[in-house]
Amino acid sequence: MKEFKGRLINQLFWTACGICAGWFVLNLAHRFTHSLFLSVIAAFAIIVAFLYKIYFCDNISIILTDDRQLLVKRFGKIIKAFIIEQYFWSEYSKYSNTKDADDQDLYYVNKESGQESYIDCTNLSGDDYEQLLTELGAKNQNTEPIKVETVKK
């Protein structure tokens, strides 16, 4: 069993970004509305939204069990459970062939229904994310390239 947990430094960084965004919204709203009350409410809403995303939505740990299951836990409770063989795993969406360099999403497609979804792994370190992709078979470095015959006219 292997567990991948989020890093505290990432949470602190995004908390600082949320406070800066709140300060920016406070100044911007105050300039347009000239009301300190409305500006504070707008800034408070932005900061609360950031904190909710950082400390609730993204606060997950991913566990790979010995019996080939993937468990997603939040605050010690399992919120999603997957049998690894029932899904195709990838670091790319099936609708896109490119990936943003900072994007750390784990895409999965159900083999039976073909429905795609993803797990946001931005709270994991880059090494843990790469190791998770390798464990799930989403990164195959040793595969041979497919040769396609072209017809020249």
Side-chain angles (χ1 to χ4, degrees):
M1 182 167 83
K2 184 157 190 153
E3 184 170 3
F4 300 96
K5 290 186 176 183
R7 295 177 50 197
L8 180 63
I9 193 76
N10 290 352
Q11 292 176 338
L12 293 176
F13 171 75
W14 286 111
T15 300
C17 288
I19 292 170
C20 290
W23 180 257
F24 177 76
V25 167
L26 175 79
N27 289 324
L28 189 67
H30 187 62
R31 180 169 303 251
F32 286 116
T33 64
H34 302 292
S35 169
L36 184 62
F37 180 71
L38 292 177
S39 302
V40 169
I41 289 175
F44 184 73
I46 294 295
I47 292 172
V48 167
F50 260 84
L51 294 178
Y52 175 77
K53 182 181 181 332
I54 295 164
Y55 293 104
F56 184 75
C57 294
D58 290 347
N59 193 15
I60 62 170
S61 63
I62 298 174
I63 300 170
L64 292 175
T65 63
D66 296 332
D67 58 347
R68 301 291 294 159
Q69 286 190 358
L70 183 133
L71 306 174
V72 180
K73 292 175 80 175
R74 180 181 293 136
F75 301 120
K77 293 183 181 180
I78 297 173
I79 57 172
K80 288 184 184 177
F82 302 97
I83 298 173
I84 294 174
E85 283 77 25
Q86 292 179 352
Y87 296 90
F88 294 113
W89 300 92
S90 176
E91 62 182 323
Y92 302 100
S93 171
K94 70 179 184 179
Y95 303 109
S96 174
N97 58 356
T98 60
K99 179 184 174 204
D100 185 18
D102 296 330
D103 189 22
Q104 286 190 350
D105 292 332
L106 180 62
Y107 291 94
Y108 57 93
V109 178
N110 190 328
K111 289 182 179 178
E112 293 176 8
S113 67
Q115 290 183 335
E116 179 185 51
S117 191
Y118 70 96
I119 301 169
D120 187 7
C121 298
T122 54
N123 64 336
L124 301 178
S125 70
D127 294 335
D128 284 348
Y129 176 67
E130 294 294 325
Q131 186 178 3
L132 181 63
L133 288 173
T134 304
E135 295 273 338
L136 292 173
K139 277 205 169 284
N140 296 324
Q141 289 92 0
N142 298 331
T143 58
E144 291 289 324
I146 300 171
K147 292 186 178 183
V148 178
E149 284 190 34
T150 57
V151 178
K152 294 182 180 179
K153 291 184 180 181

